[in-house]
Structures are given as C-alpha cells and as structure tokens.
Amino acid sequence: MNYRRGPLAIAAPSFSEVSETFIRAHVRTIMPGATIIISQNLEGAEEMGVPMLAPCPSWEPPRSLPERIVKSVGARFRRHVRADLRRDDFRRAVAFFEEHNPSALLVEYLDYAANFVNLAHATRTPLYAYAHGYEVAAAARVPRVGRHVARVFRAAAGVFVASEFMRDKLIALGCSRDKLFIAPYGIDQHRFKLSSAEPGRIIAVGRLVAKKAPDKTLAAFSEVLRRHSDARLDLVGDGELMPRCSEIVAAEGMSNAVTLHGALPTEIVAEMMGRASIFVQHSVTAPNGDTEGLGVSLLEAMASGVPVVATRHNGFVETVADGETGLLVDEHDINGMAEAISALLTDPDRARRMGMAGRARLLSHFTEARCSDRIRAAMQL
C-alpha cells in the first residue's frame, strides 16, 4: 500500500450498530493499522484499537436565559440551515487532525458528512462520503436534508455508493457523475462456512422495518407451508414491526414453524446461515421513500452458499444473478415469492447449485478486500 502522508480518518454517527457491520469493516480493511476515527458515540469502538475522538460530548444545560437562547438558535441553525460541529468540538477535531495528519477523511452517510465540510477545509483534508441509502431517500423529500447533502456534493472530493442504482439516484439529486465511485459492500468470507442445507430450513435476516417488509415474507411463507408442511423459517431481527410479525405468526397458526429470534450477534447469524437451505428477503420501497442498498444479508447468504429468494429491489438486481444464484420476484408479489421458495424446496439439487454459484459470485465481486481496494484506488491512497 502506498499511503500518501498519514492515516485515514473515518467519521460515523456510531461504530457499534449491529446492522452496520460495513462501517466497522471500513475501519479494519481500508487502511489497517493506519486509521483514526471520529464519532458522536464511541461506545463499543474501543475494541477496534485505533486513535479516536468523540467531538460531541454530553450536552451541558445553559446557565442563563441568554445562553439558552444562543444554544437554541445555534442548534436550529446547524440542523436546518448549515450542519457543522459546535465551536468547541470543531477546535478539538482540528487539534486531533493536526496531531495525526490524516491523508483523507471518509464520512459514513451523506447528511452526517455535512458536519465535517468545514473541518476538512480548515485542515486541508480531502473529504469523501459514503452514501448508504436512508439519507438519499430523505434528501429527496426533506428540504433540510437535501440542503446538507447538496453541500456535501459541492465540497467532497468523491462520493462512494454500493450500486449503480444508488449512483443514478445521486446523479438525479445533483451530484456530479465524475465524483461518484461504486464500491459495493464487502463480506469477510472467512466468517461463513458452506451451509449444510438442512431440508426445509429457511432464514430471513434484517431489521423489522417497512422497507424490509417482514410481514410480506411471513405471508409468502404461510403459502409455502400449505405445500411444504415440514418447512421452517428463522426470522432474525428486531424493530417496529415485531408486534405485527408476532400477530401474523399467531393468526396463521405458524408458531411451530416460525421462530422470531429478535436481533442476534453476527457470529450467531453466521452459524444459522450455515444450516439454511434458502435465504429470503422481500424488501420494498417504504411509504417514506426509504430503500435498501446492495443487501448485506444477501451477501452473507451467498458467502454461505445459500441460494437467495428476494425482490427486484434496487441494488438487489446487481447482487443476485436471477436464475443463477437465486430467484427474484417483483416487490409485493407474495404469491411469486411463495412459488420461488417452493420451487427450490422441491428441487434441492438446483438450490445447491445456485448456492455454490452465489458463493463464487461473492468471492469475485463482493469481498471486503475488493471493496477496500476500490476505495483506496479512488482516494489514491
């Protein structure tokens, strides 16, 4: 590796979210041993063993009415007009950068990156941002988010996206095509063993939120059970739709066939992938416009040699080779998903071939190493 002058600085709202393994992977793999991090919340980040700074300390209550007014006006201005670090936090961040002299700053999430535009300018550090999805949808419908994102487009040396679909959405929002780089999420394939493919064992992994539509996955599985009474579904994840999922399981009499596991550690999920015969995910565009990116759980299934049944949703069509590594159906097509799952349950040899083709595709396109190579090349590190 040819590092220009100093470490890579990575900024993120948090480094401990279970659903954001890709952010921790960036810390480990883009410039291993030469990375510093900056965050609002460093809980759990200590295990990464890198220099770190939390520029947003606990909020102190104002000591007088004038101070309360000043703080309130400043917070509203940063939220609605021009995102930035608070004055004291900015000074601490500048000192942190002067100490470590980073060669570039990579900020996870476009809207969060707006907080670091002035820091990058003041320290002459090239600014890069990685667009993950939710903030892209928000930028199209929430004016203040759109303003923050537009500011990042102007200031950034480059913007990373996980898929061609996401690249096109950012172009539509006003980002210059020349600044956009496709760097799909990567998986550490060594964490996943080839599945033993237990007959009838189906797994779905993801937060129980509108865009992942776990209720539609359960509706499709209910249809599958009518044809394959020995099928079993492990639904892994937690979120606002957990009560709705519990209701569906009870109403459809699927308590003996469906297990709602809640959120689980990544190592447990990997073990469960190692027993699954099919992975399912019925993602859709949420009512608020939120969408998926590339589909990390799909990649984990592919790493395990598990065929994927999913929707033709955004970056999924770039992840799954339809008919080769899995089967894709239209969003909201519950019957189509049930048919696809049943087809693979009926023909386990076909399912196994698709799973092995998926692992081969993963190894050639979607490993952490390949993702990091793309990012380093774009940053000229």
Side-chain angles (χ1 to χ4, degrees):
M1 300 178 186
N2 181 24
Y3 301 155
R4 280 190 297 178
R5 54 190 176 101
L8 171 65
I10 299 181
S14 170
F15 289 87
S16 61
E17 292 294 326
V18 173
S19 61
E20 297 176 344
T21 56
F22 42 82
I23 292 178
R24 294 190 294 279
H26 288 168
V27 176
R28 292 195 321 270
T29 64
I30 297 176
M31 289 179 69
T35 299
I36 62 175
I37 62 176
I38 185 169
S39 179
Q40 290 175 322
N41 178 12
L42 291 175
E43 181 180 357
E46 297 84 359
E47 64 188 38
M48 290 187 283
V50 301
M52 58 187 70
L53 174 71
C56 299
S58 299
W59 182 75
E60 297 181 0
R63 291 165 291 186
S64 64
L65 179 59
E67 185 177 349
R68 180 183 303 171
I69 294 172
V70 169
K71 285 191 172 184
S72 176
V73 170
R76 288 176 180 272
F77 182 83
R78 288 190 298 271
R79 176 175 173 79
H80 294 283
V81 181
R82 190 178 179 86
D84 201 355
L85 300 176
R86 291 178 296 179
R87 184 178 302 172
D88 289 345
D89 300 333
F90 179 80
R91 290 170 180 164
R92 293 172 62 240
V94 168
F96 186 62
F97 272 39
E98 289 177 345
E99 176 185 359
H100 295 282
N101 195 27
S103 55
L105 169 60
L106 172 63
V107 186
E108 311 285 355
Y109 297 104
L110 285 173
D111 54 341
Y112 190 60
N115 293 290
F116 298 92
V117 169
N118 285 344
L119 174 64
H121 178 74
T123 59
R124 297 177 152 314
T125 306
L127 173 66
Y128 294 85
Y130 201 117
H132 292 292
Y134 94 87
E135 77 274 41
V136 178
R141 72 179 191 278
V142 182
R144 66 174 178 81
V145 178
R147 289 192 292 272
H148 297 332
V149 167
R151 183 166 169 239
V152 173
F153 288 161
R154 294 191 297 270
V159 176
F160 295 101
V161 293
S163 65
E164 294 179 9
F165 172 85
M166 192 64 70
R167 178 195 61 190
D168 293 344
K169 290 189 76 169
L170 293 193
I171 291 173
L173 285 174
C175 186
S176 169
R177 180 183 291 270
D178 294 340
K179 289 189 175 185
L180 288 165
F181 302 95
I182 296 177
Y185 295 141
I187 292 295
D188 178 4
Q189 70 274 22
H190 302 295
R191 292 195 300 113
F192 298 88
K193 64 180 181 179
L194 282 177
S195 176
S196 60
E198 292 181 12
R201 177 68 67 182
I202 302 167
I203 188 171
V205 180
R207 289 178 297 121
L208 306 186
V209 296
K211 69 179 179 181
K212 294 183 183 289
D215 53 335
K216 298 186 186 302
T217 294
L218 288 170
F221 182 73
S222 178
E223 294 293 325
V224 170
L225 270 181
R226 293 184 172 86
R227 311 176 207 179
H228 304 271
S229 59
D230 59 342
R232 296 293 180 268
L233 173 64
D234 290 303
L235 184 59
V236 180
D238 203 353
E240 61 196 41
L241 293 182
M242 176 63 87
R244 174 60 179 153
C245 290
S246 298
E247 291 173 1
I248 294 172
V249 171
E252 295 293 327
M254 299 190 295
S255 298
N256 292 330
V258 176
T259 302
L260 302 177
H261 291 273
L264 293 174
T266 54
E267 59 270 19
I268 301 300
V269 174
E271 291 177 6
M272 296 176 69
M273 288 284 193
R275 298 192 299 272
S277 61
I278 300 172
F279 175 89
V280 299
Q281 188 160 334
H282 196 114
S283 292
V284 301
T285 300
N288 65 1
D290 195 10
T291 62
E292 297 271 30
L294 198 67
V296 173
S297 294
L298 276 66
L299 298 178
E300 293 176 344
M302 292 164 62
S304 304
V306 178
V308 173
V309 176
T311 45
R312 295 185 181 91
H313 175 79
N314 304 346
F316 287 11
V317 299
E318 299 170 44
T319 305
V320 180
D322 190 18
E324 297 179 19
T325 68
L327 298 172
L328 297 177
V329 303
D330 290 339
E331 293 184 21
H332 306 286
D333 186 358
I334 292 172
N335 290 333
M337 174 158 276
E339 290 286 347
I341 294 171
S342 295
L344 294 184
L345 289 175
T346 302
D347 191 347
D349 289 339
R350 181 190 183 200
R352 172 58 77 178
R353 290 194 300 272
M354 283 187 168
M356 295 305 294
R359 180 169 172 82
R361 179 171 173 80
L362 181 284
L363 294 177
S364 62
H365 292 83
F366 304 114
T367 63
E368 286 182 349
R370 291 189 178 277
C371 176
S372 296
D373 286 345
R374 294 185 181 101
I375 293 175
R376 278 194 303 273
M379 291 182 173
Q380 300 180 14
L381 297 176

